[in-house]
Amino acid sequence: MILPKHIRSFTFTGLLALCTAYGYAQTRTEYLLDKNWKFSKGDHPEAVQAGFSDKNWQTVTVPHDWAITGPFDGNNDSQKVQIVQNGEKEATVKTGRTGGLPFIGKGWYRNTFEVPAFKKGKKATLLIDGAMSYPVVYLNGKEVGHWAYGYNSFSMDITDQMKEGKNTLAIGLENKPEASRWYPGAGLYRNIHLIITEDTSIPVWGTYITTPVIDKDFAKVSVKTKVNGDLKNLRLETSLKNAKGEIVATAVKNLEDTDGNEFDQEIIVRNPALWSPENPNLYMAESKLYSGNQLKDEYTTRFGIRTLKFEPEKGFSLNGTYRKFKGVCNHHDLGPLGAAVNEAALRRQLVLLKDMGVDAIRTSHNMPAPELVKLCDEMGFMMMVESFDEWKSPKVTNGYSHLFDEWAEKDLINMIHANRNSPSVVMWSIGNEVPDQGTKEGGKLLKFLQDICHREDPTRPVTAGMDRLQNALDNNFAAVLDIPGFNYKPKHYEMAYGRLPQGMILGSETASTVSSRGVYKFPAEPQKHKMYDDNQSSSYDLEYCNWSQIPDDEFVKQEDLPYVIGEFVWTGFDYLGEPTPYDEKWPSHSSYFGIIDLAGIPKDRYYLYRSHWNTSKSTLHIVPHWTFPGREGKVTPVFVYTSYPSAELFINGKSQGRQEKNKTSNTARYRLMWKDAIYQPGEIKVIAYDADGKAVAEETVKTAGKPHHILLETDRKTLGADGKDLAYITASVVDAEGNLCPDADQDLSFSVSGAGTYKVAANGDATNLQMFHLPVMKAFKGKLVVTVQSTEKPGNITLKVTGKGLKPGKIEIETKAE
């Protein structure tokens, strides 16, 4: 038997299970199908039968990614391809392009359960947030639905096959080779919900809330609510509540015979609290559907009130204030957790990005998990929700081009309906670097997709990430879009602006600077597509790809051109796959693009962005560390990323002079640089000065001694005892005085006791082939991150980390019942 999930409001809807005080039967119950799944890799069509024995299958919890436990192998989905987007002239073998993990093939899941809420006359709906990929769903031996695109949410009516008592759900999936350009994950990697309602009810994503009029004193809220079932004698009572749970407005409407199957209500909210990244105010619409005097359904929808404007010359404004998107692109994997979604992991990512000054997320290049959209609503991030990486012209052999004709409209509709009530979503993206930019049919395809977006949601503009600038301009492809988005084209913004009618440009994908945390290469100078024997990239933040730039080059255009409305940096976090520039050089298997590494540790670049983007925080960060045995007397440049206009560098107490930001070069405008600094062991100190020349901040880095002990620092001291919550503990190898030992690379071992379990570890090294789920991993540049997970029993979790020749580290984390 499965029990109803604890009620939580999702971004697109909140699903409630309530009994009224008047003795009405429970109208809506949602079950989260997360436990007691059985899984087996391979093709098992016989598993659809209820009597099939799965006792030898693996028991798993969903969300689940079957491939993340590895092992890594360069032969897994190796692809011989020419990547046109990267300027390649011929096809070559890419070993780590999709991460080197064993995700290709078929897999089956089974779950046998009882649903007490289901009785004859009730309706049962299965909602799947995402399944990778080509999911085919069977209930009690009969197919009840299927989908193709692994990134999209979809639902199906399974009433006819549901039984009172035991039911068996079986889902078959298949990942094809050469179907992706990055690691897509495998399996039931997002949540699955079973929703039991009355025969007459509000369907999945059945509401659509807009705010067509917003004034300083009031807002008009339009609530459209679809209903299924018997449409006679229906009445809808809607209450709007603020963040405190107070009712601020109500409406009642009878369904007329001219209304079809949709209620249309207009409700006035006085003195509305507007949503923004700085103040993410939210409202809730609670809808009660009656047939006569009988309560048939209760449904909640979370929404926000805010104005969006995209204006020629002026740019983008939110609630009347002009601003530029300070955004990042992110793939959907969660590093060592793989593609299996986890709300605590997503929240940790967003906390780090918020501290950096990020206010926008691009869901590249696919539909996001509902949990991400929910958190962006709550924490204040604007979103570009993106759909496809391919249209009809392929990039990879088995990509979306095979699905486009049959599925593109269905996929767009689901994407929009699932997310259009979320105030965080401010634009739709219909594609990324699609080769159709240069085809005769490309403009027609663009208009086809954009028209769907306008039809399903006329309140938001449509964009796409274009890389073929000349094609897109010459054939008017770029002119059709609401917002022309260009990838890696800051040098051409002025030219494109002059040729386009929209009067604005968006940096839809920018920078693609590459670096490895804690790795410094000499000389420290700009390098295009530079490669080294150790498969690493320099953290002086001056290395980039054939098609891309360093951050500073984009900063200049964003600051100087008012019609450029912002940027989305590639990428916020490192991700599995696309190990550019080492995609032909195994064992690199994860990216170098991230501002934050795969373990979730900020790279130096993090502080460059924070110094420019987060004006509410003081930033003073020194590059590099100061432990370079054998470099005595050699030039070792010192860079400082700071929110202050100037600073002075001291090496072993001797001033190296004071530097001030200036416009002599793009880098000098955003970095303070002592390019001729000479390395001598000891100490470097930086004193920062404000605009009045007053010393206001100080930072010191010392040469590390011999590794002595393990220092543990957790991102959270208290977890929920729900069996899913996570704490991320950074383990640092330090000397006796607590200085980081940046060359430490010994194995560290992890043991967890008490009310929690060891989950995974990662060190951010793209070349490390140790598996994340095993309780041992090498430190990389003196650090790694251990993730522990709560159980469902409150108490304390104890993590102990040991390493040869080091005093162990120990930390406790409390877990509490919700």
Side-chain angles (χ1 to χ4, degrees), residues 597-760:
D597 75 14
L598 199 72
I601 304 173
K603 302 179 186 179
D604 291 304
R605 228 177 326 141
Y606 179 93
Y607 301 96
L608 176 60
Y609 280 98
R610 192 173 87 162
S611 69
H612 184 54
W613 279 358
N614 193 343
T615 56
S616 66
K617 280 208 171 184
S618 169
T619 299
L620 183 60
H621 178 76
I622 298 173
V623 181
H625 60 69
W626 207 241
T627 304
F628 293 101
R631 282 198 67 82
E632 290 82 355
K634 294 183 180 180
V635 172
T636 305
V638 175
F639 292 179
V640 170
Y641 301 153
T642 181
S643 51
Y644 298 106
S646 64
E648 185 174 7
L649 171 67
F650 297 85
I651 299 179
N652 293 330
K654 184 178 179 180
S655 176
Q656 306 300 302
R658 186 165 160 180
Q659 297 279 353
E660 186 171 356
K661 293 177 185 176
N662 61 79
K663 294 187 177 181
T664 58
S665 69
N666 290 354
T667 49
R669 189 164 168 174
Y670 304 102
R671 315 181 192 208
L672 301 176
M673 299 175 288
W674 290 262
K675 296 181 180 179
D676 297 322
I678 303 298
Y679 175 71
Q680 293 295 341
E683 172 187 286
I684 55 175
K685 180 171 70 174
V686 170
I687 297 176
Y689 301 92
D690 64 15
D692 297 324
K694 180 182 178 181
V696 287
E698 182 179 306
E699 188 75 15
T700 300
V701 176
K702 296 181 179 180
T703 302
K706 182 180 178 181
H708 180 266
H709 63 277
I710 299 169
L711 175 67
L712 300 182
E713 301 167 285
T714 182
D715 70 325
R716 300 172 66 198
K717 296 181 180 178
T718 305
L719 301 181
D722 61 359
K724 300 176 181 180
D725 210 358
L726 304 174
Y728 287 81
I729 300 96
T730 301
S732 302
V733 178
V734 298
D735 65 13
E737 296 181 0
N739 299 304
L740 178 70
C741 299
D743 293 326
D745 62 357
Q746 57 264 66
D747 276 330
L748 302 183
S749 298
F750 326 115
S751 61
V752 177
S753 59
T757 58
Y758 169 75
K759 186 67 175 176
V760 291

Side-chain angles (χ1 to χ4, degrees), residues 406-611:
E406 179 182 356
W407 289 94
E409 183 168 9
K410 299 173 189 176
D411 278 323
L412 267 189
I413 289 172
N414 277 22
M415 179 187 82
I416 293 167
H417 287 192
N419 298 295
R420 63 185 177 179
N421 292 322
S422 292
S424 61
V425 179
V426 298
M427 68 178 87
W428 308 112
S429 172
I430 53 176
N432 171 70
E433 297 183 356
V434 294
D436 308 81
Q437 292 166 82
T439 68
K440 291 181 180 180
E441 298 297 311
K444 292 179 181 179
L445 296 176
L446 187 156
K447 191 173 187 305
F448 164 69
L449 297 173
Q450 183 166 263
D451 284 350
I452 295 170
C453 295
H454 290 166
R455 182 190 74 206
E456 302 300 324
D457 174 37
T459 72
R460 294 176 178 88
V462 176
T463 189
M466 296 175 285
D467 63 326
R468 303 184 184 191
L469 179 78
Q470 206 60 51
N471 286 139
L473 292 175
D474 290 346
N475 64 13
N476 291 322
F477 187 96
V480 177
L481 283 164
D482 297 332
I483 300 173
F486 289 105
N487 293 2
Y488 312 109
K489 298 295 185 288
K491 292 181 180 179
H492 303 289
Y493 285 162
E494 291 97 330
M495 183 271 288
Y497 165 74
R499 291 190 55 181
L500 291 171
Q502 295 94 332
M504 69 187 79
I505 298 287
L506 173 65
S508 44
E509 189 172 313
T510 65
S512 270
T513 307
V514 292
S515 64
S516 304
R517 175 185 53 79
V519 174
Y520 303 97
K521 303 293 189 179
F522 304 99
E525 58 187 24
Q527 302 265 18
K528 179 186 288 189
H529 214 75
K530 179 69 175 178
M531 290 189 281
Y532 304 92
D533 291 342
D534 61 359
N535 282 31
Q536 303 295 350
S537 296
S538 177
S539 201
Y540 274 110
D541 301 324
L542 292 171
E543 296 180 2
Y544 53 100
C545 304
N546 288 330
W547 65 90
S548 63
Q549 302 82 31
I550 59 174
D552 321 57
D553 293 343
E554 186 72 37
F555 287 166
V556 167
K557 297 298 185 178
Q558 294 289 334
E559 278 201 301
D560 292 354
L561 303 177
Y563 53 81
V564 179
I565 64 174
E567 66 169 311
F568 289 82
V569 182
W570 193 263
T571 52
F573 283 77
D574 276 334
Y575 55 93
L576 293 163
E578 286 195 315
T580 311
Y582 298 106
D583 54 4
E584 299 174 24
K585 193 178 176 185
W586 188 256
S588 291
H589 58 266
S590 59
S591 79
Y592 299 78
F593 298 121
I595 300 170
I596 302 167
D597 75 14
L598 199 72
I601 304 173
K603 302 179 186 179
D604 291 304
R605 228 177 326 141
Y606 179 93
Y607 301 96
L608 176 60
Y609 280 98
R610 192 173 87 162
S611 69

Side-chain angles (χ1 to χ4, degrees), residues 65 183 224 366:
D65 180 350
Y183 177 68
K224 297 181 184 295
N366 44 260

Side-chain angles (χ1 to χ4, degrees), residues 320-468:
T321 300
Y322 291 95
R323 59 193 295 160
K324 301 203 178 204
F325 294 104
K326 297 180 288 189
V328 296
C329 306
N330 273 336
H331 273 313
H332 71 299
D333 78 67
L334 294 170
L337 295 176
V341 72
N342 179 281
E343 189 170 325
L346 288 169
R347 185 183 296 275
R348 182 209 182 208
Q349 286 193 338
L350 294 178
V351 166
L352 287 166
L353 293 174
K354 179 72 79 168
D355 179 71
M356 193 177 87
V358 173
D359 66 8
I361 305 289
R362 176 190 182 210
T363 68
S364 46
H365 304 293
N366 44 260
M367 296 80 172
E371 290 82 1
L372 175 60
V373 186
K374 168 183 177 289
L375 288 171
C376 287
D377 281 346
E378 294 174 353
M379 298 175 67
F381 289 87
M382 298 177 287
M383 298 190 76
M384 178 203 298
V385 172
E386 191 159 81
S387 52
F388 309 124
D389 189 52
E390 280 185 13
W391 294 350
K392 296 191 72 165
S393 299
K395 294 181 185 178
V396 290
T397 302
N398 289 311
Y400 193 81
S401 61
H402 296 283
L403 306 178
F404 186 91
D405 287 338
E406 179 182 356
W407 289 94
E409 183 168 9
K410 299 173 189 176
D411 278 323
L412 267 189
I413 289 172
N414 277 22
M415 179 187 82
I416 293 167
H417 287 192
N419 298 295
R420 63 185 177 179
N421 292 322
S422 292
S424 61
V425 179
V426 298
M427 68 178 87
W428 308 112
S429 172
I430 53 176
N432 171 70
E433 297 183 356
V434 294
D436 308 81
Q437 292 166 82
T439 68
K440 291 181 180 180
E441 298 297 311
K444 292 179 181 179
L445 296 176
L446 187 156
K447 191 173 187 305
F448 164 69
L449 297 173
Q450 183 166 263
D451 284 350
I452 295 170
C453 295
H454 290 166
R455 182 190 74 206
E456 302 300 324
D457 174 37
T459 72
R460 294 176 178 88
V462 176
T463 189
M466 296 175 285
D467 63 326
R468 303 184 184 191

Side-chain angles (χ1 to χ4, degrees), residues 59 71 88 118 156 256 273 288 290 325 360 465 467 513 551 567 584 590 606 611 771 794 812 814:
T59 301
E88 295 182 357
F118 183 76
M156 61 196 73
E256 305 294 341
K288 293 184 179 181
Y290 291 89
F325 294 104
D467 63 326
T513 307
E567 66 169 311
E584 299 174 24
S590 59
Y606 179 93
S611 69
M771 295 315 306
E812 285 198 351
E814 184 181 13

